[in-house]
Every structure is written in structure tokens, then in C-alpha cells.
Coordinates of all heavy atoms in Angstrom, one line a residue:
F1 N 14.2 -10.6 5.5 CA 13.2 -10.2 4.4 C 13.1 -8.7 4.4 O 12.5 -8.2 3.5 CB 11.9 -10.8 4.7 CG 11.8 -12.2 4.3 CD1 12.1 -13.3 5.1 CD2 11.4 -12.6 3.0 CE1 12.0 -14.6 4.7 CE2 11.3 -13.9 2.6 CZ 11.5 -14.9 3.4
V2 N 13.6 -8.0 5.4 CA 13.4 -6.5 5.3 C 14.2 -6.0 4.1 O 15.3 -6.2 3.8 CB 13.9 -5.9 6.6 CG1 13.9 -4.4 6.6 CG2 13.1 -6.3 7.8
G3 N 13.4 -5.1 3.3 CA 13.9 -4.5 2.2 C 13.7 -5.3 0.9 O 13.8 -4.8 -0.2
R4 N 13.3 -6.6 1.0 CA 13.0 -7.4 -0.2 C 11.6 -7.2 -0.7 O 10.7 -6.7 0.0 CB 13.1 -8.9 0.2 CG 14.5 -9.3 0.6 CD 14.6 -10.8 0.8 NE 14.3 -11.6 -0.3 CZ 14.2 -12.9 -0.3 NH1 14.4 -13.6 0.8 NH2 13.8 -13.6 -1.3
E5 N 11.4 -7.4 -2.0 CA 10.1 -7.4 -2.6 C 9.7 -8.8 -2.9 O 10.4 -9.7 -3.4 CB 10.2 -6.7 -3.9 CG 10.6 -5.2 -3.8 CD 10.8 -4.5 -5.1 OE1 10.4 -5.1 -6.2 OE2 11.2 -3.3 -5.1
I6 N 8.4 -9.1 -2.4 CA 7.9 -10.5 -2.5 C 6.5 -10.4 -3.1 O 5.8 -9.4 -2.9 CB 8.0 -11.3 -1.2 CG1 7.1 -10.5 -0.1 CG2 9.4 -11.4 -0.7 CD1 7.0 -11.3 1.2
D7 N 6.1 -11.5 -3.7 CA 4.6 -11.7 -4.1 C 3.9 -12.2 -2.9 O 4.3 -13.2 -2.3 CB 4.6 -12.6 -5.3 CG 5.2 -11.9 -6.6 OD1 5.1 -10.7 -6.7 OD2 5.7 -12.7 -7.4
V8 N 2.7 -11.6 -2.7 CA 1.8 -12.0 -1.6 C 0.4 -12.3 -2.1 O -0.2 -11.5 -2.8 CB 1.8 -10.9 -0.5 CG1 0.8 -11.3 0.7 CG2 3.1 -10.7 0.1
L9 N -0.1 -13.5 -1.8 CA -1.5 -13.8 -2.1 C -2.4 -13.1 -1.1 O -2.4 -13.4 0.1 CB -1.7 -15.3 -2.1 CG -3.1 -15.8 -2.3 CD1 -3.5 -15.5 -3.7 CD2 -3.2 -17.3 -2.0
V10 N -3.3 -12.2 -1.6 CA -4.2 -11.5 -0.7 C -5.3 -12.5 -0.2 O -5.9 -13.1 -1.0 CB -4.8 -10.3 -1.5 CG1 -5.9 -9.6 -0.6 CG2 -3.8 -9.4 -2.0
E11 N -5.4 -12.5 1.1 CA -6.4 -13.4 1.7 C -7.6 -12.6 2.4 O -8.6 -13.1 2.6 CB -5.8 -14.3 2.7 CG -4.8 -15.3 2.0 CD -4.2 -16.2 3.0 OE1 -4.5 -16.2 4.2 OE2 -3.3 -17.0 2.5
G12 N -7.3 -11.3 2.7 CA -8.4 -10.5 3.4 C -8.0 -9.1 3.6 O -6.8 -8.7 3.3
Q13 N -8.9 -8.3 4.0 CA -8.7 -6.9 4.3 C -9.2 -6.6 5.7 O -10.3 -7.0 6.0 CB -9.4 -6.1 3.2 CG -9.3 -4.6 3.3 CD -10.0 -3.8 2.2 OE1 -10.7 -4.5 1.4 NE2 -9.8 -2.6 2.1
F14 N -8.6 -5.7 6.4 CA -9.1 -5.2 7.6 C -10.2 -4.2 7.3 O -10.0 -3.3 6.5 CB -8.0 -4.5 8.5 CG -6.9 -5.4 8.9 CD1 -5.7 -5.6 8.2 CD2 -7.1 -6.2 10.1 CE1 -4.7 -6.5 8.7 CE2 -6.1 -7.1 10.5 CZ -4.9 -7.2 9.8
P15 N -11.3 -4.3 8.0 CA -12.5 -3.5 7.7 C -12.2 -2.0 7.7 O -11.5 -1.4 8.6 CB -13.5 -3.8 8.8 CG -13.1 -5.2 9.3 CD -11.6 -5.2 9.1
D16 N -12.7 -1.3 6.7 CA -12.7 0.2 6.6 C -11.2 0.7 6.5 O -11.0 1.8 7.1 CB -13.5 0.8 7.7 CG -14.9 0.4 7.7 OD1 -15.5 0.3 6.6 OD2 -15.4 0.2 8.8
T17 N -10.3 0.0 6.0 CA -8.9 0.4 5.9 C -8.3 0.0 4.5 O -9.0 -0.7 3.7 CB -8.0 -0.3 7.0 OG1 -7.9 -1.6 6.7 CG2 -8.6 0.0 8.3
H18 N -7.1 0.3 4.3 CA -6.4 -0.1 3.1 C -5.3 -1.1 3.5 O -4.2 -1.2 2.9 CB -5.8 1.1 2.3 CG -6.8 1.9 1.6 ND1 -7.4 1.4 0.4 CD2 -7.4 3.0 1.9 CE1 -8.3 2.3 0.0 NE2 -8.3 3.3 0.9
L19 N -5.6 -1.8 4.6 CA -4.6 -2.8 5.2 C -5.1 -4.1 4.8 O -6.3 -4.5 5.0 CB -4.5 -2.6 6.7 CG -4.0 -1.3 7.2 CD1 -4.1 -1.2 8.7 CD2 -2.6 -1.0 6.7
Y20 N -4.2 -4.9 4.4 CA -4.5 -6.3 3.9 C -3.6 -7.3 4.6 O -2.6 -7.0 5.2 CB -4.2 -6.4 2.4 CG -5.2 -5.6 1.6 CD1 -4.8 -4.2 1.4 CD2 -6.3 -6.0 1.0 CE1 -5.7 -3.4 0.7 CE2 -7.2 -5.2 0.4 CZ -6.9 -3.9 0.2 OH -7.7 -3.1 -0.6
V21 N -4.1 -8.6 4.4 CA -3.3 -9.7 5.0 C -3.3 -10.8 4.0 O -4.2 -11.0 3.2 CB -4.0 -10.2 6.3 CG1 -5.4 -10.7 6.1 CG2 -3.1 -11.2 7.0
G22 N -2.1 -11.5 4.0 CA -2.0 -12.6 3.0 C -0.7 -13.4 3.4 O -0.1 -13.3 4.5
H23 N -0.3 -14.3 2.5 CA 0.8 -15.2 2.6 C 1.7 -15.1 1.4 O 1.2 -15.0 0.3 CB 0.4 -16.6 2.9 CG -0.2 -16.9 4.2 ND1 -1.5 -16.8 4.5 CD2 0.4 -17.2 5.4 CE1 -1.7 -17.1 5.7 NE2 -0.6 -17.3 6.3
S24 N 3.0 -15.2 1.7 CA 3.9 -15.3 0.6 C 4.2 -16.8 0.3 O 3.8 -17.6 1.1 CB 5.2 -14.5 0.8 OG 6.0 -15.3 1.8
R25 N 5.0 -17.1 -0.7 CA 5.4 -18.4 -0.9 C 6.3 -19.0 0.1 O 6.5 -20.3 0.2 CB 6.1 -18.6 -2.3 CG 7.4 -17.8 -2.3 CD 8.0 -17.7 -3.6 NE 8.3 -19.0 -4.2 CZ 8.9 -19.1 -5.4 NH1 9.2 -18.1 -6.1 NH2 9.2 -20.3 -5.8
Y26 N 6.8 -18.2 1.0 CA 7.7 -18.6 2.1 C 7.0 -18.9 3.4 O 7.6 -19.2 4.4 CB 8.7 -17.5 2.3 CG 9.5 -17.1 1.1 CD1 9.2 -15.8 0.5 CD2 10.4 -17.8 0.5 CE1 9.8 -15.4 -0.7 CE2 11.1 -17.5 -0.7 CZ 10.7 -16.3 -1.3 OH 11.3 -15.9 -2.5
Q27 N 5.6 -18.6 3.4 CA 4.9 -18.8 4.6 C 3.7 -19.8 4.5 O 2.9 -19.7 3.6 CB 4.2 -17.5 5.0 CG 5.2 -16.4 5.3 CD 4.6 -15.0 5.4 OE1 3.9 -14.6 4.4 NE2 4.8 -14.3 6.5
A28 N 3.8 -20.9 5.3 CA 2.7 -21.9 5.2 C 1.6 -21.4 6.1 O 1.8 -20.9 7.2 CB 3.3 -23.2 5.9
P29 N 0.4 -21.3 5.5 CA -0.8 -20.7 6.1 C -1.0 -21.1 7.6 O -1.4 -20.2 8.4 CB -2.0 -21.0 5.3 CG -1.4 -21.2 3.9 CD 0.0 -21.8 4.2
E30 N -0.9 -22.3 7.9 CA -1.2 -22.7 9.3 C 0.0 -22.9 10.2 O -0.2 -23.3 11.4 CB -2.1 -24.0 9.3 CG -3.4 -23.8 8.5 CD -4.3 -25.0 8.6 OE1 -4.0 -25.9 9.4 OE2 -5.3 -25.0 7.8
V31 N 1.2 -22.6 9.7 CA 2.3 -22.8 10.5 C 3.1 -21.5 10.7 O 3.5 -21.2 11.8 CB 3.3 -23.9 9.7 CG1 4.6 -24.1 10.5 CG2 2.6 -25.1 9.5
D32 N 3.3 -20.8 9.7 CA 4.1 -19.5 9.7 C 3.2 -18.3 10.0 O 2.0 -18.4 10.0 CB 4.9 -19.3 8.5 CG 6.0 -20.4 8.2 OD1 6.6 -20.8 9.2 OD2 6.0 -20.9 7.1
G33 N 3.8 -17.2 10.2 CA 3.2 -15.9 10.4 C 2.5 -15.4 9.0 O 2.5 -16.2 8.0
L34 N 2.0 -14.3 9.1 CA 1.2 -13.6 8.0 C 2.1 -12.5 7.3 O 3.1 -12.1 8.0 CB 0.0 -13.1 8.4 CG -1.0 -14.0 9.1 CD1 -2.1 -13.1 9.8 CD2 -1.6 -15.0 8.1
T35 N 1.7 -12.0 6.2 CA 2.2 -10.8 5.7 C 1.1 -9.7 5.8 O 0.0 -10.0 5.3 CB 2.7 -10.9 4.2 OG1 3.7 -11.9 4.2 CG2 3.3 -9.6 3.7
R36 N 1.3 -8.7 6.5 CA 0.4 -7.6 6.6 C 0.9 -6.4 5.8 O 2.1 -6.1 5.9 CB 0.1 -7.2 8.0 CG -0.4 -8.3 8.9 CD -0.8 -7.8 10.2 NE 0.3 -7.0 10.9 CZ 0.8 -7.2 12.1 NH1 0.4 -8.1 12.8 NH2 1.7 -6.4 12.5
F37 N 0.1 -5.8 5.0 CA 0.6 -4.7 4.1 C -0.5 -3.7 3.8 O -1.7 -4.0 4.0 CB 1.2 -5.3 2.9 CG 0.2 -6.1 2.0 CD1 -0.4 -5.5 1.0 CD2 -0.1 -7.4 2.3 CE1 -1.3 -6.3 0.2 CE2 -0.9 -8.2 1.6 CZ -1.6 -7.6 0.5
E38 N 0.0 -2.5 3.4 CA -0.9 -1.5 2.9 C -0.9 -1.3 1.5 O 0.2 -1.5 0.8 CB -0.4 -0.2 3.7 CG -1.3 1.0 3.4 CD -0.8 2.3 4.1 OE1 0.1 2.2 5.0 OE2 -1.3 3.3 3.8
S39 N -2.0 -0.9 0.9 CA -2.1 -0.7 -0.6 C -3.0 0.5 -0.8 O -4.0 0.6 -0.2 CB -2.7 -1.9 -1.3 OG -2.8 -1.7 -2.7
R40 N -2.6 1.3 -1.7 CA -3.5 2.5 -2.2 C -4.6 2.0 -3.1 O -5.6 2.7 -3.2 CB -2.6 3.4 -2.9 CG -1.6 4.1 -2.1 CD -0.8 5.1 -2.9 NE 0.5 5.2 -2.3 CZ 1.5 5.8 -3.0 NH1 1.4 6.2 -4.3 NH2 2.7 5.8 -2.5
R41 N -4.4 0.8 -3.7 CA -5.4 0.2 -4.6 C -6.3 -0.7 -3.8 O -5.9 -1.3 -2.8 CB -4.8 -0.5 -5.7 CG -3.9 0.3 -6.6 CD -3.2 -0.6 -7.7 NE -2.3 -1.4 -7.1 CZ -2.1 -2.7 -7.5 NH1 -2.8 -3.2 -8.5 NH2 -1.1 -3.4 -7.0
D42 N -7.5 -0.9 -4.3 CA -8.4 -1.9 -3.7 C -8.0 -3.3 -4.2 O -7.8 -3.5 -5.5 CB -9.9 -1.7 -4.0 CG -10.4 -0.4 -3.3 OD1 -9.9 -0.2 -2.2 OD2 -11.3 0.2 -3.9
L43 N -7.8 -4.3 -3.4 CA -7.4 -5.6 -3.8 C -8.4 -6.6 -3.3 O -8.9 -6.5 -2.2 CB -6.0 -5.9 -3.1 CG -4.9 -5.0 -3.4 CD1 -3.6 -5.3 -2.6 CD2 -4.5 -4.9 -4.9
A44 N -8.7 -7.6 -4.2 CA -9.6 -8.6 -3.8 C -8.9 -9.8 -3.4 O -7.7 -10.1 -3.8 CB -10.5 -8.9 -5.0
P45 N -9.5 -10.7 -2.5 CA -8.9 -11.9 -2.1 C -8.6 -12.8 -3.4 O -9.4 -12.8 -4.4 CB -10.0 -12.6 -1.3 CG -10.7 -11.5 -0.7 CD -10.8 -10.5 -1.8
G46 N -7.4 -13.4 -3.4 CA -7.0 -14.2 -4.6 C -6.0 -13.4 -5.5 O -5.3 -14.0 -6.3
H47 N -6.0 -12.1 -5.3 CA -5.0 -11.2 -6.1 C -3.6 -11.4 -5.5 O -3.5 -11.6 -4.4 CB -5.5 -9.7 -5.9 CG -4.6 -8.8 -6.6 ND1 -4.7 -8.5 -8.0 CD2 -3.4 -8.1 -6.2 CE1 -3.8 -7.6 -8.3 NE2 -3.0 -7.4 -7.3
V48 N -2.6 -11.4 -6.4 CA -1.2 -11.5 -5.9 C -0.7 -10.1 -6.0 O -0.7 -9.4 -7.1 CB -0.4 -12.4 -6.8 CG1 1.0 -12.4 -6.4 CG2 -1.0 -13.8 -6.7
A49 N -0.2 -9.5 -4.9 CA 0.3 -8.2 -4.8 C 1.9 -8.2 -4.6 O 2.4 -9.1 -3.9 CB -0.3 -7.5 -3.6
R50 N 2.5 -7.3 -5.2 CA 4.0 -7.2 -5.0 C 4.2 -6.3 -3.8 O 3.7 -5.1 -3.8 CB 4.6 -6.6 -6.3 CG 6.1 -6.7 -6.2 CD 6.6 -8.1 -6.5 NE 8.1 -8.1 -6.6 CZ 8.8 -9.1 -6.6 NH1 8.2 -10.3 -6.4 NH2 10.1 -9.1 -6.6
V51 N 4.9 -6.8 -2.8 CA 5.0 -6.1 -1.5 C 6.4 -5.9 -1.1 O 7.2 -6.8 -1.2 CB 4.3 -6.9 -0.4 CG1 4.5 -6.2 1.0 CG2 2.8 -7.0 -0.7
R52 N 6.8 -4.7 -0.7 CA 8.2 -4.4 -0.2 C 8.1 -4.6 1.3 O 7.3 -3.8 2.0 CB 8.7 -3.0 -0.6 CG 10.1 -2.8 0.0 CD 10.7 -1.4 -0.4 NE 11.0 -1.5 -1.8 CZ 10.5 -0.7 -2.7 NH1 9.6 0.3 -2.4 NH2 10.8 -0.7 -4.0
I53 N 8.9 -5.4 1.9 CA 8.8 -5.6 3.4 C 9.6 -4.5 4.0 O 10.8 -4.3 3.7 CB 9.5 -7.0 3.7 CG1 8.7 -8.1 3.0 CG2 9.4 -7.2 5.2 CD1 7.2 -8.2 3.2
Q54 N 9.0 -3.9 5.0 CA 9.5 -2.8 5.8 C 10.0 -3.2 7.1 O 11.0 -2.6 7.7 CB 8.5 -1.6 5.9 CG 8.1 -1.1 4.5 CD 7.0 -0.1 4.6 OE1 6.0 -0.3 5.4 NE2 7.1 1.0 3.9
R55 N 9.4 -4.1 7.7 CA 9.8 -4.6 9.1 C 9.2 -5.9 9.4 O 8.4 -6.4 8.7 CB 9.4 -3.5 10.1 CG 8.0 -3.4 10.4 CD 7.7 -2.3 11.4 NE 6.3 -2.3 11.8 CZ 5.4 -1.7 11.1 NH1 5.6 -1.1 10.0 NH2 4.1 -1.7 11.6
V56 N 9.6 -6.5 10.5 CA 9.1 -7.8 11.0 C 8.7 -7.6 12.4 O 9.3 -7.0 13.2 CB 10.3 -8.9 10.9 CG1 9.7 -10.2 11.5 CG2 10.8 -9.0 9.5
E57 N 7.4 -8.2 12.7 CA 6.9 -8.1 14.0 C 6.6 -9.6 14.4 O 5.8 -10.2 13.9 CB 5.6 -7.3 14.1 CG 5.8 -5.8 13.9 CD 4.6 -5.0 14.0 OE1 3.5 -5.6 14.2 OE2 4.6 -3.8 13.9
E58 N 7.4 -10.1 15.4 CA 7.3 -11.5 15.8 C 7.5 -12.4 14.6 O 8.6 -12.5 14.1 CB 5.9 -11.8 16.5 CG 5.8 -11.2 17.8 CD 6.0 -12.1 19.0 OE1 6.1 -13.3 18.8 OE2 6.2 -11.6 20.1
F59 N 6.4 -13.0 14.1 CA 6.5 -13.9 13.0 C 5.9 -13.3 11.7 O 5.9 -14.0 10.7 CB 5.7 -15.2 13.3 CG 6.3 -15.9 14.5 CD1 5.6 -15.9 15.7 CD2 7.5 -16.6 14.5 CE1 6.0 -16.5 16.8 CE2 8.0 -17.2 15.7 CZ 7.2 -17.1 16.8
D60 N 5.3 -12.1 11.8 CA 4.7 -11.5 10.7 C 5.6 -10.5 9.9 O 6.4 -9.9 10.5 CB 3.4 -10.7 11.1 CG 2.4 -11.6 11.7 OD1 2.4 -12.8 11.5 OD2 1.4 -11.1 12.4
L61 N 5.4 -10.5 8.6 CA 6.1 -9.5 7.8 C 5.2 -8.3 7.5 O 4.0 -8.5 7.3 CB 6.5 -10.1 6.4 CG 7.3 -11.4 6.5 CD1 7.6 -12.0 5.1 CD2 8.7 -11.2 7.1
I62 N 5.7 -7.1 7.6 CA 5.0 -5.9 7.4 C 5.5 -5.1 6.2 O 6.7 -4.9 6.2 CB 5.0 -5.0 8.7 CG1 4.8 -5.8 10.0 CG2 4.0 -3.9 8.6 CD1 3.4 -6.5 10.1
G63 N 4.6 -4.7 5.4 CA 5.1 -4.0 4.2 C 4.1 -3.1 3.5 O 3.0 -2.9 4.1
I64 N 4.4 -2.7 2.3 CA 3.5 -1.9 1.5 C 3.6 -2.3 0.0 O 4.7 -2.8 -0.4 CB 4.0 -0.4 1.6 CG1 2.9 0.6 1.0 CG2 5.4 -0.1 1.1 CD1 3.1 2.0 1.4
T65 N 2.5 -2.2 -0.7 CA 2.6 -2.7 -2.1 C 3.4 -1.7 -2.9 O 3.6 -0.6 -2.6 CB 1.2 -2.7 -2.7 OG1 0.5 -1.5 -2.6 CG2 0.3 -3.8 -2.1
I66 N 3.9 -2.3 -4.0 CA 4.7 -1.5 -4.9 C 3.8 -1.3 -6.1 O 3.4 -2.2 -6.8 CB 5.9 -2.2 -5.4 CG1 6.8 -2.6 -4.2 CG2 6.7 -1.5 -6.5 CD1 7.9 -3.6 -4.5
D67 N 3.4 -0.1 -6.4 CA 2.4 0.3 -7.4 C 3.0 0.5 -8.7 O 4.1 0.9 -8.9 CB 1.6 1.5 -7.0 CG 0.7 1.2 -5.8 OD1 0.2 0.0 -5.7 OD2 0.5 2.1 -4.9

């Protein structure tokens, strides 16, 4: 997935940061890892963000939104 752009359903935000967590269509919420990503914009839960994956940590995808 590194280098790919995927849609991620925003599920939450880390307090006092621009870091978010969610799931892509490739990740089952209770089985697979999460997608953690940074965004310059404020995103609400339920929003779908376009995220470029930069690296993988264990089972989680790490990326940044494409604005």
C-alpha cells in the first residue's frame, strides 16, 4: 500500500492534534489494523478523506491527506 492513494472513513481524532484515525475499504474494523493520518483541514467523524500511504507500522497504514 505504500505510495497508494486510498479513501479512508474518519473515525476519530487524537486530542489537540491534526492526527486522525480511520479505516479504508480494505480494513475490517475489528479484524485488521487502522489507518492513521495527518490532515491540515479539520475533519469530522464520518468524513471520507483521500490519504496517500507513506509507510506501514505492524498492521497500521500511516499517511497524509491529499488536499
Side-chain angles (χ1 to χ4, degrees):
F1 280 90
V2 175
R4 289 182 65 185
E5 295 177 7
I6 60 173
D7 292 325
V8 177
L9 177 65
V10 178
E11 295 181 2
Q13 180 179 9
F14 292 96
D16 302 318
T17 70
H18 288 283
L19 300 174
Y20 295 85
V21 64
H23 286 91
S24 73
R25 65 191 297 182
Y26 308 105
Q27 299 169 303
E30 295 184 14
V31 179
D32 296 318
L34 304 168
T35 300
R36 298 185 316 227
F37 60 96
E38 184 177 349
S39 176
R40 294 181 210 162
R41 298 180 290 139
D42 290 330
L43 303 173
H47 179 85
V48 176
R50 190 76 175 163
V51 176
R52 179 177 291 123
I53 303 303
Q54 298 174 314
R55 67 183 190 279
V56 176
E57 292 181 0
E58 290 261 344
F59 302 106
D60 296 343
L61 302 175
I62 313 299
I64 188 166
T65 57
I66 300 167
D67 295 324

